[in-house]
Amino acid sequence: MASDEFRLVSPAIDHEGRLPRKYTAEGQGALQNLSPPLEWYNVPDGTKTLALVVQDIDAPDPSGPIVPWTVWVVVNIPPTLKGLPEGFSGKEEEMGGDHAGVKEGVTDFKVPGWRGPKLPSHGHRFEFKLYALDDEVHLGNKVTKDKLLEAIEGHELGEAVLMAIC
């Protein structure tokens, strides 16, 4: 891996790529459904904003094949930020500063913010994809993965992907 490559990492994901239980619906008490900490490096020159989509890419559709299940959508992340802290979801306003303009989108659970998985079986792959964009995204009040992906077409300066197993 080149040292200047746009990268996305999480200090919470162990060396085997496992996402700990506290980031899922299977955690204990207050230590469940926390959004995991994320860090990124080498944001491409010219980036005006970052956007993040997290999906369970092994989610079974009860009526058919496996389809990605969106568990987190985050837009308007300033490129001046170097990451999102653990438990960030739902706290962007109270964190203030550069975090205040960050907006969380609606997931496939039909609610905004991180929703950790409660899996019928383990071993699902979770794809964290961070997009570096050359323009701000204006998606109105209801941000979704589909609206985001349509809006950023032709505006991507780079993508960084992190995989985790849950």
Side-chain angles (χ1 to χ4, degrees), residues 131-137 139 145-157 159:
Y131 299 91
L133 306 171
D134 68 1
D135 201 5
E136 299 282 326
V137 246
L139 300 172
K145 175 191 77 174
D146 292 339
K147 282 171 75 173
L148 171 65
L149 295 180
E150 184 178 319
I152 68 174
E153 202 170 298
H155 293 283
E156 295 175 48
L157 296 173
E159 287 181 9

Side-chain angles (χ1 to χ4, degrees), residues 3-166:
S3 61
D4 61 349
E5 181 180 0
F6 182 34
R7 292 183 303 131
L8 176 62
V9 299
S10 176
I13 296 172
D14 71 19
H15 67 283
E16 294 176 345
R18 298 228 170 259
L19 186 67
R21 286 179 61 155
K22 69 180 175 177
Y23 305 115
T24 73
E26 298 172 348
Q28 300 296 311
L31 290 182
Q32 70 176 0
N33 267 329
L34 290 172
S35 57
L38 298 171
E39 299 169 358
W40 45 84
Y41 300 93
N42 304 314
V43 172
D45 289 341
T47 299
K48 298 265 190 310
T49 190
L50 299 165
L52 176 73
V53 174
V54 182
Q55 300 180 102
D56 174 353
I57 60 173
D58 293 319
D61 182 332
S63 63
I66 290 178
V67 295
W69 183 264
T70 305
V71 296
W72 205 17
V73 178
V74 188
V75 298
N76 297 335
I77 304 168
T80 52
L81 291 179
K82 301 300 179 208
L84 297 175
E86 177 180 86
F88 170 78
S89 183
K91 296 187 169 82
E92 52 275 9
E93 291 296 325
E94 67 188 63
M95 290 186 81
D98 282 346
H99 293 94
V102 174
K103 183 171 179 66
E104 293 184 277
V106 175
T107 67
D108 285 340
F109 292 103
K110 307 294 184 222
V111 292
W114 172 265
R115 287 298 175 268
K118 184 167 184 130
L119 304 172
S121 62
H122 291 276
H124 286 227
R125 293 170 298 156
F126 281 75
E127 177 188 71
F128 292 73
K129 191 178 281 191
L130 184 67
Y131 299 91
L133 306 171
D134 68 1
D135 201 5
E136 299 282 326
V137 246
H138 304 284
L139 300 172
N141 287 332
K142 189 174 181 185
V143 174
T144 64
K145 175 191 77 174
D146 292 339
K147 282 171 75 173
L148 171 65
L149 295 180
E150 184 178 319
I152 68 174
E153 202 170 298
H155 293 283
E156 295 175 48
L157 296 173
E159 287 181 9
V161 177
L162 170 66
M163 296 299 289
I165 305 290
C166 193

